[in-house]
Amino acid sequence: MSDKTPVDFWFDPLCPWAWMTSRWVLEVEKVRDIEVRWHVMSLAVLNENRLDELPEEYRELLETKAWGPVRVVIAAQQEKGPEVLGDFYTALGTRIHNQGEGPGKETVAAALKDVGLPESLMEHWDATPYEPELRASHQEGIDKVGQDVGTPVIAVPGPDGEQIAFFGPVVTPAPQGEEAGRLWDGTLAVASVPGFYEIKRTRTKGPDFSNL
């Protein structure tokens, strides 16, 4: 058993904000006594009942590009164990977001190869028997924060044993070293206040969505 504090992190590989936050929390692992546990959630599932309310470009993205990658990710988790998710997510995100390859079949197949996972997992691209597990994993994360947010969702044990869960933080670029640790400390501080609801600032620059 690890003595490190478990940090549960829900992600959709399509989301550039979740990608940036995931790189931050991996930096936090280096400077704080935490251990990240990865979980799958889905922007396609989150938005499937409100597609007609979304801008056309985002609706098309969810309908045509969001399902395949997350089906392959949940299949990898179910068939190879949750311990493969961290490395697979890193390989996927590096190709999709850092290298601008987009979330197509070739990208996901290449990411599987990068981490030594079988190419046969691509058979789940168009449909998977693990959709109930995908929806259950998604629901577990979203139930902690509510339907009005997206990815990522982070949950940590609170001082009373109850989990503290929150969306975000949304941050770009991902802080490094002790700066990452200070942001972690501050995030936990505000999230642990029972009456705390929200904090925002003006966004001047975000990740590039154009390669999706």
Side-chain angles (χ1 to χ4, degrees):
M1 294 290 290
S2 173
D3 292 330
K4 295 184 177 182
T5 300
V7 174
D8 292 295
F9 190 110
W10 280 263
F11 69 93
D12 183 317
L14 197 69
C15 179
W17 295 112
W19 172 245
M20 295 303 298
T21 303
S22 73
R23 300 310 92 183
W24 162 68
V25 83
L26 287 178
E27 279 294 308
V28 177
E29 265 195 331
K30 300 174 184 177
V31 296
R32 296 293 185 270
D33 202 23
I34 70 167
E35 182 175 30
V36 183
R37 303 186 299 197
W38 303 98
H39 306 271
V40 187
M41 64 185 300
S42 169
L43 292 173
V45 172
L46 180 67
N47 292 287
E48 64 183 347
N49 293 324
R50 53 187 181 191
L51 287 173
D52 57 351
E53 303 171 10
L54 301 176
E56 181 178 354
E57 184 178 0
Y58 189 48
R59 182 170 65 249
E60 182 182 359
L61 174 70
L62 293 177
E63 290 177 328
T64 63
K65 298 182 179 181
W67 283 104
V70 81
R71 285 177 180 140
V72 176
V73 172
I74 195 67
Q77 180 199 55
Q78 292 296 308
E79 295 188 5
K80 300 301 177 181
E83 63 275 6
V84 307
L85 283 187
D87 287 344
F88 186 29
Y89 181 31
T90 290
L92 270 175
T94 298
R95 288 182 171 274
I96 292 172
H97 302 295
N98 291 7
Q99 297 173 194
E101 296 180 15
K105 278 187 174 182
E106 290 184 1
T107 299
V108 177
L112 287 171
K113 186 176 180 179
D114 289 342
V115 294
L117 288 171
E119 186 179 358
S120 60
L121 288 168
M122 290 301 297
E123 297 172 2
H124 297 267
W125 180 270
D126 293 314
T128 179
Y130 302 121
E131 185 168 321
E133 287 81 3
L134 169 61
R135 290 179 178 273
S137 181
H138 170 86
Q139 199 62 44
E140 181 185 12
I142 208 68
D143 280 348
K144 297 179 184 299
V145 290
Q147 290 287 332
D148 294 329
V149 301
T151 64
V153 170
I154 295 176
V156 299
D160 60 357
E162 294 290 326
Q163 274 195 324
I164 300 169
F166 48 89
F167 161 69
V170 174
V171 57
T172 182
Q176 303 294 301
E178 184 55 30
E179 184 183 8
R182 290 195 300 270
L183 177 57
W184 177 255
D185 298 339
T187 300
L188 292 189
V190 296
S192 64
V193 175
F196 179 78
Y197 178 68
E198 186 176 51
I199 185 170
K200 285 188 175 183
R201 63 179 296 182
T202 300
R203 186 177 75 215
T204 56
K205 184 178 181 181
D208 184 5
F209 289 80
S210 62
N211 65 335
L212 300 179

